[in-house]
Amino acid sequence: MINLEKKLRAAGLRPTKQRLLISNYLFSGSHMHVTADSLYSELSKSGVNISLATIYNVLNIFTSHGLLREISIDSSRSYFDTNTKKHYHYYYEKTAKLEDIDIEKLQINPLPEKRNGFDVSSIDIVIRVNG
Ligand SMILES: [Zn+2]
């Protein structure tokens, strides 16, 4: 838990017990995509009881401090991604799963750099798959 404490402090966050428990689930293994609901049920299964409201709060705070990236699929579904590097996604509509796509594997040509004089701040691509 020590590394996680450092990770939270480095992001400017106080390492509260709930934030550490959630961090332990999110950041101890390989990258993952979670929703608040999926995280709530996974934590409950492993005996960690944190309210859904607290999970929403922690996910949003982690996102605003750069520890997670939020991916909106539609108005009712948001995923939180532990991989904060630039990448795109496949979204499997039937299983509601996300899969990463390396940016090198998807070319946008020409890549817009400016629009009406404004810099492009980010490009999010979700390719929906019927499966
Ligand atoms: Zn991802």
Side-chain angles (χ1 to χ4, degrees), residues 73-98:
I73 295 299
D74 56 43
S75 59
S76 66
R77 189 179 286 267
S78 262
Y79 286 80
F80 296 87
D81 195 340
T82 60
N83 181 359
T84 55
K85 290 195 187 118
K86 210 174 190 184
H87 64 283
Y88 308 128
H89 291 96
Y90 286 113
Y91 176 66
Y92 293 83
E93 292 175 321
K94 287 185 183 139
T95 54
K97 297 279 182 222
L98 283 174

mmCIF file of all heavy atoms in Angstrom, residues 73-98:
data_model
loop_
_atom_site.group_PDB
_atom_site.id
_atom_site.type_symbol
_atom_site.label_atom_id
_atom_site.label_comp_id
_atom_site.label_asym_id
_atom_site.label_seq_id
_atom_site.Cartn_x
_atom_site.Cartn_y
_atom_site.Cartn_z
ATOM 1 N N ILE A 73 -19.322 6.490 -23.286
ATOM 2 C CA ILE A 73 -19.847 5.691 -24.386
ATOM 3 C C ILE A 73 -21.184 6.264 -24.850
ATOM 4 O O ILE A 73 -21.457 6.370 -26.020
ATOM 5 C CB ILE A 73 -19.986 4.211 -23.962
ATOM 6 C CG1 ILE A 73 -18.600 3.625 -23.679
ATOM 7 C CG2 ILE A 73 -20.728 3.386 -25.005
ATOM 8 C CD1 ILE A 73 -17.647 3.625 -24.861
ATOM 9 N N ASP A 74 -22.023 6.616 -23.919
ATOM 10 C CA ASP A 74 -23.249 7.348 -24.227
ATOM 11 C C ASP A 74 -23.640 8.115 -22.978
ATOM 12 O O ASP A 74 -22.900 8.109 -21.995
ATOM 13 C CB ASP A 74 -24.364 6.412 -24.725
ATOM 14 C CG ASP A 74 -24.674 5.295 -23.741
ATOM 15 O OD1 ASP A 74 -24.748 5.572 -22.516
ATOM 16 O OD2 ASP A 74 -24.846 4.148 -24.169
ATOM 17 N N SER A 75 -24.800 8.752 -23.018
ATOM 18 C CA SER A 75 -25.140 9.657 -21.915
ATOM 19 C C SER A 75 -25.295 8.936 -20.578
ATOM 20 O O SER A 75 -25.213 9.543 -19.522
ATOM 21 C CB SER A 75 -26.422 10.413 -22.245
ATOM 22 O OG SER A 75 -27.457 9.491 -22.458
ATOM 23 N N SER A 76 -25.493 7.609 -20.630
ATOM 24 C CA SER A 76 -25.724 6.900 -19.375
ATOM 25 C C SER A 76 -24.555 5.997 -18.984
ATOM 26 O O SER A 76 -24.606 5.339 -17.952
ATOM 27 C CB SER A 76 -26.999 6.062 -19.475
ATOM 28 O OG SER A 76 -26.805 5.041 -20.428
ATOM 29 N N ARG A 77 -23.498 5.951 -19.801
ATOM 30 C CA ARG A 77 -22.438 5.000 -19.507
ATOM 31 C C ARG A 77 -21.057 5.645 -19.642
ATOM 32 O O ARG A 77 -20.696 6.093 -20.719
ATOM 33 C CB ARG A 77 -22.537 3.811 -20.459
ATOM 34 C CG ARG A 77 -21.624 2.660 -20.095
ATOM 35 C CD ARG A 77 -21.803 1.528 -21.080
ATOM 36 N NE ARG A 77 -23.060 0.826 -20.872
ATOM 37 C CZ ARG A 77 -23.173 -0.265 -20.103
ATOM 38 N NH1 ARG A 77 -22.135 -0.749 -19.474
ATOM 39 N NH2 ARG A 77 -24.327 -0.851 -19.960
ATOM 40 N N SER A 78 -20.343 5.680 -18.527
ATOM 41 C CA SER A 78 -18.968 6.166 -18.515
ATOM 42 C C SER A 78 -18.052 5.088 -17.995
ATOM 43 O O SER A 78 -18.379 4.413 -17.017
ATOM 44 C CB SER A 78 -18.837 7.372 -17.583
ATOM 45 O OG SER A 78 -18.899 8.553 -18.319
ATOM 46 N N TYR A 79 -16.915 4.946 -18.653
ATOM 47 C CA TYR A 79 -15.882 4.022 -18.191
ATOM 48 C C TYR A 79 -14.709 4.836 -17.668
ATOM 49 O O TYR A 79 -14.480 5.963 -18.111
ATOM 50 C CB TYR A 79 -15.387 3.142 -19.349
ATOM 51 C CG TYR A 79 -16.370 2.080 -19.748
ATOM 52 C CD1 TYR A 79 -17.452 2.388 -20.561
ATOM 53 C CD2 TYR A 79 -16.228 0.785 -19.295
ATOM 54 C CE1 TYR A 79 -18.371 1.411 -20.915
ATOM 55 C CE2 TYR A 79 -17.136 -0.200 -19.651
ATOM 56 C CZ TYR A 79 -18.208 0.125 -20.456
ATOM 57 O OH TYR A 79 -19.116 -0.841 -20.797
ATOM 58 N N PHE A 80 -13.981 4.244 -16.753
ATOM 59 C CA PHE A 80 -12.775 4.862 -16.243
ATOM 60 C C PHE A 80 -11.620 3.934 -16.580
ATOM 61 O O PHE A 80 -11.678 2.737 -16.317
ATOM 62 C CB PHE A 80 -12.888 5.101 -14.733
ATOM 63 C CG PHE A 80 -13.978 6.091 -14.405
ATOM 64 C CD1 PHE A 80 -15.285 5.670 -14.238
ATOM 65 C CD2 PHE A 80 -13.694 7.443 -14.306
ATOM 66 C CE1 PHE A 80 -16.296 6.576 -13.965
ATOM 67 C CE2 PHE A 80 -14.693 8.360 -14.040
ATOM 68 C CZ PHE A 80 -15.999 7.929 -13.865
ATOM 69 N N ASP A 81 -10.595 4.522 -17.173
ATOM 70 C CA ASP A 81 -9.488 3.766 -17.745
ATOM 71 C C ASP A 81 -8.239 4.026 -16.916
ATOM 72 O O ASP A 81 -7.867 5.184 -16.698
ATOM 73 C CB ASP A 81 -9.293 4.263 -19.189
ATOM 74 C CG ASP A 81 -8.446 3.346 -20.033
ATOM 75 O OD1 ASP A 81 -7.702 2.529 -19.456
ATOM 76 O OD2 ASP A 81 -8.526 3.464 -21.263
ATOM 77 N N THR A 82 -7.576 2.947 -16.464
ATOM 78 C CA THR A 82 -6.339 3.136 -15.692
ATOM 79 C C THR A 82 -5.163 3.446 -16.620
ATOM 80 O O THR A 82 -4.112 3.853 -16.151
ATOM 81 C CB THR A 82 -6.006 1.881 -14.855
ATOM 82 O OG1 THR A 82 -5.842 0.765 -15.736
ATOM 83 C CG2 THR A 82 -7.099 1.576 -13.843
ATOM 84 N N ASN A 83 -5.347 3.239 -17.917
ATOM 85 C CA ASN A 83 -4.311 3.607 -18.892
ATOM 86 C C ASN A 83 -4.577 5.049 -19.326
ATOM 87 O O ASN A 83 -5.511 5.308 -20.083
ATOM 88 C CB ASN A 83 -4.375 2.650 -20.085
ATOM 89 C CG ASN A 83 -3.313 2.955 -21.122
ATOM 90 O OD1 ASN A 83 -2.536 3.899 -20.973
ATOM 91 N ND2 ASN A 83 -3.284 2.163 -22.171
ATOM 92 N N THR A 84 -3.755 5.976 -18.831
ATOM 93 C CA THR A 84 -4.013 7.396 -19.129
ATOM 94 C C THR A 84 -3.206 7.875 -20.336
ATOM 95 O O THR A 84 -3.270 9.041 -20.690
ATOM 96 C CB THR A 84 -3.689 8.282 -17.902
ATOM 97 O OG1 THR A 84 -2.341 8.032 -17.497
ATOM 98 C CG2 THR A 84 -4.631 7.988 -16.745
ATOM 99 N N LYS A 85 -2.424 6.946 -20.940
ATOM 100 C CA LYS A 85 -1.699 7.332 -22.167
ATOM 101 C C LYS A 85 -2.691 7.416 -23.321
ATOM 102 O O LYS A 85 -3.754 6.810 -23.294
ATOM 103 C CB LYS A 85 -0.620 6.289 -22.487
ATOM 104 C CG LYS A 85 0.524 6.325 -21.504
ATOM 105 C CD LYS A 85 1.724 5.563 -22.046
ATOM 106 C CE LYS A 85 2.801 5.456 -21.000
ATOM 107 N NZ LYS A 85 3.075 4.059 -20.633
ATOM 108 N N LYS A 86 -2.271 8.161 -24.354
ATOM 109 C CA LYS A 86 -3.126 8.361 -25.514
ATOM 110 C C LYS A 86 -3.411 7.033 -26.214
ATOM 111 O O LYS A 86 -2.484 6.336 -26.617
ATOM 112 C CB LYS A 86 -2.378 9.297 -26.465
ATOM 113 C CG LYS A 86 -3.223 10.159 -27.312
ATOM 114 C CD LYS A 86 -2.306 11.106 -28.076
ATOM 115 C CE LYS A 86 -3.071 12.168 -28.779
ATOM 116 N NZ LYS A 86 -2.149 13.006 -29.592
ATOM 117 N N HIS A 87 -4.655 6.658 -26.325
ATOM 118 C CA HIS A 87 -5.029 5.486 -27.099
ATOM 119 C C HIS A 87 -6.520 5.542 -27.408
ATOM 120 O O HIS A 87 -7.232 6.382 -26.868
ATOM 121 C CB HIS A 87 -4.667 4.184 -26.362
ATOM 122 C CG HIS A 87 -5.400 3.981 -25.070
ATOM 123 N ND1 HIS A 87 -5.092 4.630 -23.909
ATOM 124 C CD2 HIS A 87 -6.456 3.181 -24.771
ATOM 125 C CE1 HIS A 87 -5.905 4.236 -22.942
ATOM 126 N NE2 HIS A 87 -6.745 3.360 -23.438
ATOM 127 N N TYR A 88 -6.959 4.672 -28.317
ATOM 128 C CA TYR A 88 -8.360 4.648 -28.719
ATOM 129 C C TYR A 88 -8.981 3.333 -28.241
ATOM 130 O O TYR A 88 -8.314 2.510 -27.626
ATOM 131 C CB TYR A 88 -8.477 4.770 -30.244
ATOM 132 C CG TYR A 88 -7.727 5.951 -30.828
ATOM 133 C CD1 TYR A 88 -6.826 5.778 -31.878
ATOM 134 C CD2 TYR A 88 -7.923 7.245 -30.333
ATOM 135 C CE1 TYR A 88 -6.137 6.855 -32.420
ATOM 136 C CE2 TYR A 88 -7.240 8.327 -30.870
ATOM 137 C CZ TYR A 88 -6.343 8.126 -31.910
ATOM 138 O OH TYR A 88 -5.656 9.174 -32.439
ATOM 139 N N HIS A 89 -10.265 3.166 -28.550
ATOM 140 C CA HIS A 89 -10.972 1.982 -28.031
ATOM 141 C C HIS A 89 -11.903 1.315 -29.032
ATOM 142 O O HIS A 89 -12.526 1.988 -29.847
ATOM 143 C CB HIS A 89 -11.816 2.386 -26.803
ATOM 144 C CG HIS A 89 -10.995 2.749 -25.637
ATOM 145 N ND1 HIS A 89 -10.676 4.046 -25.339
ATOM 146 C CD2 HIS A 89 -10.374 1.981 -24.701
ATOM 147 C CE1 HIS A 89 -9.896 4.064 -24.267
ATOM 148 N NE2 HIS A 89 -9.694 2.838 -23.864
ATOM 149 N N TYR A 90 -11.978 -0.001 -28.908
ATOM 150 C CA TYR A 90 -13.091 -0.761 -29.462
ATOM 151 C C TYR A 90 -14.104 -0.898 -28.337
ATOM 152 O O TYR A 90 -13.715 -1.117 -27.188
ATOM 153 C CB TYR A 90 -12.672 -2.178 -29.877
ATOM 154 C CG TYR A 90 -11.854 -2.247 -31.137
ATOM 155 C CD1 TYR A 90 -10.523 -2.639 -31.099
ATOM 156 C CD2 TYR A 90 -12.431 -1.937 -32.361
ATOM 157 C CE1 TYR A 90 -9.773 -2.714 -32.266
ATOM 158 C CE2 TYR A 90 -11.679 -2.006 -33.533
ATOM 159 C CZ TYR A 90 -10.360 -2.388 -33.477
ATOM 160 O OH TYR A 90 -9.614 -2.456 -34.618
ATOM 161 N N TYR A 91 -15.370 -0.786 -28.670
ATOM 162 C CA TYR A 91 -16.427 -1.024 -27.680
ATOM 163 C C TYR A 91 -17.311 -2.156 -28.186
ATOM 164 O O TYR A 91 -17.901 -2.056 -29.268
ATOM 165 C CB TYR A 91 -17.264 0.241 -27.477
ATOM 166 C CG TYR A 91 -18.427 0.032 -26.529
ATOM 167 C CD1 TYR A 91 -18.200 -0.253 -25.186
ATOM 168 C CD2 TYR A 91 -19.742 0.115 -26.981
ATOM 169 C CE1 TYR A 91 -19.264 -0.459 -24.313
ATOM 170 C CE2 TYR A 91 -20.809 -0.081 -26.109
ATOM 171 C CZ TYR A 91 -20.556 -0.370 -24.783
ATOM 172 O OH TYR A 91 -21.605 -0.580 -23.926
ATOM 173 N N TYR A 92 -17.357 -3.256 -27.422
ATOM 174 C CA TYR A 92 -18.172 -4.407 -27.783
ATOM 175 C C TYR A 92 -19.567 -4.194 -27.217
ATOM 176 O O TYR A 92 -19.766 -4.211 -25.995
ATOM 177 C CB TYR A 92 -17.536 -5.692 -27.243
ATOM 178 C CG TYR A 92 -16.224 -6.010 -27.928
ATOM 179 C CD1 TYR A 92 -15.042 -5.413 -27.522
ATOM 180 C CD2 TYR A 92 -16.186 -6.880 -29.006
ATOM 181 C CE1 TYR A 92 -13.833 -5.675 -28.170
ATOM 182 C CE2 TYR A 92 -14.991 -7.152 -29.659
ATOM 183 C CZ TYR A 92 -13.826 -6.551 -29.245
ATOM 184 O OH TYR A 92 -12.645 -6.809 -29.893
ATOM 185 N N GLU A 93 -20.519 -3.950 -28.116
ATOM 186 C CA GLU A 93 -21.849 -3.517 -27.691
ATOM 187 C C GLU A 93 -22.605 -4.566 -26.884
ATOM 188 O O GLU A 93 -23.336 -4.230 -25.969
ATOM 189 C CB GLU A 93 -22.676 -3.111 -28.916
ATOM 190 C CG GLU A 93 -22.131 -1.850 -29.569
ATOM 191 C CD GLU A 93 -22.848 -1.470 -30.851
ATOM 192 O OE1 GLU A 93 -23.191 -2.392 -31.634
ATOM 193 O OE2 GLU A 93 -23.058 -0.275 -31.057
ATOM 194 N N LYS A 94 -22.433 -5.843 -27.219
ATOM 195 C CA LYS A 94 -23.225 -6.872 -26.514
ATOM 196 C C LYS A 94 -22.657 -7.180 -25.140
ATOM 197 O O LYS A 94 -23.417 -7.419 -24.202
ATOM 198 C CB LYS A 94 -23.324 -8.140 -27.366
ATOM 199 C CG LYS A 94 -24.260 -7.914 -28.546
ATOM 200 C CD LYS A 94 -24.503 -9.162 -29.358
ATOM 201 C CE LYS A 94 -25.403 -8.811 -30.548
ATOM 202 N NZ LYS A 94 -24.984 -9.463 -31.779
ATOM 203 N N THR A 95 -21.328 -7.176 -25.032
ATOM 204 C CA THR A 95 -20.726 -7.506 -23.735
ATOM 205 C C THR A 95 -20.372 -6.252 -22.935
ATOM 206 O O THR A 95 -19.976 -6.349 -21.778
ATOM 207 C CB THR A 95 -19.450 -8.352 -23.930
ATOM 208 O OG1 THR A 95 -18.579 -7.649 -24.822
ATOM 209 C CG2 THR A 95 -19.786 -9.716 -24.497
ATOM 210 N N ALA A 96 -20.509 -5.071 -23.570
ATOM 211 C CA ALA A 96 -20.213 -3.788 -22.918
ATOM 212 C C ALA A 96 -18.766 -3.724 -22.405
ATOM 213 O O ALA A 96 -18.501 -3.195 -21.336
ATOM 214 C CB ALA A 96 -21.208 -3.503 -21.799
ATOM 215 N N LYS A 97 -17.857 -4.294 -23.214
ATOM 216 C CA LYS A 97 -16.432 -4.277 -22.840
ATOM 217 C C LYS A 97 -15.667 -3.324 -23.745
ATOM 218 O O LYS A 97 -16.010 -3.160 -24.921
ATOM 219 C CB LYS A 97 -15.814 -5.678 -22.998
ATOM 220 C CG LYS A 97 -16.418 -6.723 -22.089
ATOM 221 C CD LYS A 97 -15.843 -6.646 -20.693
ATOM 222 C CE LYS A 97 -16.411 -7.721 -19.792
ATOM 223 N NZ LYS A 97 -16.733 -7.262 -18.465
ATOM 224 N N LEU A 98 -14.624 -2.731 -23.186
ATOM 225 C CA LEU A 98 -13.730 -1.879 -23.970
ATOM 226 C C LEU A 98 -12.413 -2.605 -24.179
ATOM 227 O O LEU A 98 -11.966 -3.359 -23.316
ATOM 228 C CB LEU A 98 -13.435 -0.582 -23.222
ATOM 229 C CG LEU A 98 -14.503 0.496 -23.200
ATOM 230 C CD1 LEU A 98 -14.048 1.622 -22.288
ATOM 231 C CD2 LEU A 98 -14.779 1.024 -24.594
#
